[in-house]
Amino acid sequence: MSHTAGSVQSPSAALHAGLAAQHSRGIGRTAIRVTWLVAALALAASLAGLLIDGIYTGAASTAEMFRGYDLVTAAVVVPSIVVAVRLARRGSVLAHLATTSLLAYLVYTYAYYLFGTGFNDLFLLHAAVFAACVSALILTVTAIDVTSVAHRFRDRTPARTIAGILGVLAAALAGMWAYFAIDNAVTGDVPAGSQLVETDTIVHLGMALDLSLLVPLYAVAAVLLWRRAAWGYLLATVALMAGLLHQVSYIVAMPFQVAAEIPGAVSYDPGEPVIMLLYLVATALLLRGARRTSTAGGRTAT
């Protein structure tokens, strides 16, 4: 319903207007500036990794994996940050959430660059990207009005369907890594990790990051979303959007290893279509539920 200039807003309309006004300035200047810094540093690091031969020292398999990640960062993540931040400055709640999700993806990804290898010429740049990402992520998350996010998602979002998918992803990831960890403790065999050719250090780091960060994030998001708690919608969005990008990076990195003739490299993971489908379905359901018509001015809010 639209209101004329002389009409009096209802308490509900006033609440939504207040929340919208808060979001129009919600991401904050400091968060925006640090996020621009992240985009600039990540672009510089990814282009250096792609264009400078031999910039990554150590195992060739890790170097080619990073080059695949660099392509995704330069071609997808950085342009998406630029668009998302511009829209978030105009008050878009979804763009604010997208910015947060992109930063979460970069924090996870650059943990590999920083902790999964030895010294290389990009060490200081990778440390700067990681530190800036962590700072920007904290600033963007704390600027989000979780209640407003919940209002946007709650009415049309199939929360329990999405929560079920997140629960499956959490259980599968936790179960897989727990099995490999127990097998290693019993037999001493080092887990193979994914279909990527990975060093023992990369496999160990991947297990540590997944078990300490991704599994808890997915599980908590699933539980809160099942209960339709406000934080569930925020955490589910970050988990799914960042997770979808993780899958894209994984898919892109495999052909890089094949092209470099890394022994044992494969260009395709037969289990990936199922995993990707779960992320795509859950993300599509979540974003579809977020689209709703604003009560003010007859506009579609984003």
Side-chain angles (χ1 to χ4, degrees), residues 24-60:
S24 68
R25 61 180 185 274
I27 194 168
R29 289 184 179 180
T30 302
I32 290 171
R33 289 170 179 170
V34 178
T35 304
W36 285 136
L37 177 63
V38 168
L41 292 173
L43 182 61
S46 58
L47 290 178
L50 286 169
L51 300 177
I52 301 176
D53 291 335
I55 195 71
Y56 294 123
T57 58

Side-chain angles (χ1 to χ4, degrees), residues 176-192 207:
M176 177 183 70
W177 287 137
Y179 169 80
F180 284 132
I182 293 171
D183 181 70
N184 171 258
V186 173
T187 67
D189 294 336
V190 176
M207 291 177 65

Side-chain angles (χ1 to χ4, degrees), residues 23-289:
H23 270 288
S24 68
R25 61 180 185 274
I27 194 168
R29 289 184 179 180
T30 302
I32 290 171
R33 289 170 179 170
V34 178
T35 304
W36 285 136
L37 177 63
V38 168
L41 292 173
L43 182 61
S46 58
L47 290 178
L50 286 169
L51 300 177
I52 301 176
D53 291 335
I55 195 71
Y56 294 123
T57 58
S61 60
T62 302
E64 295 306 318
M65 182 182 77
F66 285 166
R67 283 165 53 79
Y69 291 176
D70 286 335
L71 179 60
V72 174
T73 297
V76 178
V77 177
V78 171
S80 297
I81 287 176
V82 171
V83 174
V85 170
R86 288 185 178 276
L87 293 175
R89 290 179 66 182
R90 299 174 187 174
S92 171
V93 177
L94 291 183
H96 194 160
L97 293 174
T99 302
T100 305
S101 302
L102 291 162
L103 291 169
Y105 164 82
L106 287 175
V107 168
Y108 178 91
T109 300
Y110 273 91
Y112 278 93
Y113 290 87
L114 197 56
F115 305 119
T117 61
F119 287 105
N120 60 66
D121 292 343
L122 295 178
F123 172 76
L124 288 177
L125 185 53
H126 290 157
V129 175
F130 184 79
C133 284
V134 171
S135 301
L137 180 60
I138 293 171
L139 289 169
T140 55
V141 168
T142 55
I144 294 175
D145 186 324
V146 181
T147 303
S148 180
V149 172
H151 276 297
R152 180 169 302 283
F153 282 91
R154 187 171 283 146
D155 293 340
R156 296 184 179 182
T157 302
R160 291 193 168 179
T161 300
I162 300 168
I165 294 174
L166 280 167
V168 168
L169 290 170
L173 196 58
M176 177 183 70
W177 287 137
Y179 169 80
F180 284 132
I182 293 171
D183 181 70
N184 171 258
V186 173
T187 67
D189 294 336
V190 176
S194 66
Q195 291 294 322
L196 284 168
V197 179
E198 299 171 331
T199 64
D200 293 353
T201 299
I202 290 292
V203 174
H204 179 267
L205 179 59
M207 291 177 65
L209 291 174
D210 288 357
L211 289 172
S212 61
L213 296 179
L214 294 193
V215 170
L217 173 61
Y218 290 5
V220 171
V223 171
L224 293 179
L225 195 59
W226 185 272
R227 297 177 177 176
R228 291 183 170 83
W231 272 96
Y233 297 94
L234 168 59
L235 295 179
T237 304
V238 172
L240 289 170
M241 294 183 73
L244 188 57
L245 277 172
H246 295 154
Q247 301 309 307
V248 171
S249 295
Y250 173 61
I251 292 171
V252 171
M254 286 189 284
F256 270 81
Q257 291 189 338
V258 172
E261 299 182 345
I262 304 298
V266 296
S267 59
Y268 176 72
D269 182 345
E272 187 59 24
V274 175
I275 298 172
M276 181 65 83
L277 181 62
L278 289 174
Y279 279 102
L280 285 172
V281 169
T283 303
L285 290 173
L286 190 64
L287 295 181
R288 182 183 178 186

